């Protein structure tokens, strides 16, 4: 079985090769902390310290969405590092439940700000479906951060 992602930032026409890192983890409440540690360590090791804070906020929200909404037991966090920019993605294998845009969170709401924050903090972000042939087998929420 091979998976294909349409319009993934790693396969876009402007794609330049980077170094790829992946963390496979259970979809549990403590995984957001593990994902932050993984992203922080990867960005420190690859000399991208200016991107760490925004990357940690965004990956926490993406992982929390998988844990809360997708009906999966595992997820993966993917980091592709290039000079001056990184792409971080959170993948789950739930082909049915998809992220959706929602109206702005109301004051006092504890939820509903994740994708809004990702939009504000990142250079670009999106959701790609993961395909196996003609069948959707999951989704990947990704964001790109660039050094200023």
């Amino acid at each position: 079985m091979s998976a294909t992602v349409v319009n993934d930032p790693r396969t876009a026409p402007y794609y330049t090769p980077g170094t790829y890192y992946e963390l496979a983890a259970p979809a549990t409440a403590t995984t957001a902390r593990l994902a932050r540690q993984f992203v922080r360590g990867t960005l420190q090791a690859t000399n991208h310290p200016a991107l760490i804070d925004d990357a940690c906020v965004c990956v926490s929200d993406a992982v929390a969405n998988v844990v809360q909404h997708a009906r999966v037991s595992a997820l993966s966090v993917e980091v592709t590092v290039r000079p001056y920019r990184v792409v971080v993605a959170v993948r789950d294998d739930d082909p049915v439940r998809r992220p959706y845009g929602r109206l702005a969170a109301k004051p006092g709401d504890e939820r509903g700000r994740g994708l809004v924050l990702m939009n504000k903090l990142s250079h670009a972000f999106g959701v790609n479906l993961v395909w196996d042939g003609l069948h959707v087998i999951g989704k990947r929420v990704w964001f790109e951060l660039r050094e200023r």
Side-chain angles (χ1 to χ4, degrees):
M1 173 165 66
S2 66
T4 303
V5 180
V6 178
N7 294 328
D8 186 302
R10 290 180 291 145
T11 60
Y14 59 85
Y15 172 73
T16 55
T19 306
Y20 178 78
Y21 303 87
E22 183 175 4
L23 167 72
T28 63
T30 59
T31 302
R33 181 173 65 88
L34 181 61
R36 285 191 305 273
Q37 291 171 340
F38 170 69
V39 168
R40 177 181 306 279
T42 301
L43 296 181
Q44 284 174 338
T46 58
N47 200 28
H48 288 73
L51 304 178
I52 290 173
D53 291 340
D54 290 347
C56 286
V57 170
C58 292
V59 78
S60 287
D61 288 331
V63 168
N65 283 342
V66 170
V67 170
Q68 182 177 0
H69 299 295
R71 296 182 177 136
V72 296
S73 60
L75 57 85
S76 66
V77 179
E78 305 163 349
V79 180
T80 303
V81 179
R82 297 183 189 92
Y84 310 109
R85 65 188 175 119
V86 299
V87 176
V88 179
V90 177
R91 176 184 166 169
D92 70 69
D93 292 331
D94 181 353
V96 178
R97 299 176 63 97
R98 314 250 168 92
Y100 61 93
R102 67 180 264 166
L103 301 174
K106 297 175 185 160
D109 284 353
E110 293 184 16
R111 297 181 180 171
R113 292 181 178 84
L115 292 178
V116 173
L117 274 173
M118 194 176 295
N119 184 29
K120 296 271 188 205
L121 296 175
S122 66
H123 175 77
F125 81 104
V127 179
N128 300 112
L129 300 179
V130 179
W131 296 79
D132 180 20
L134 297 174
H135 303 284
V136 175
I137 60 169
K139 62 194 160 297
R140 178 182 281 112
V141 175
W142 61 268
F143 58 92
E144 180 179 328
L145 299 173
R146 293 187 178 183
E147 293 180 354
R148 296 179 181 113

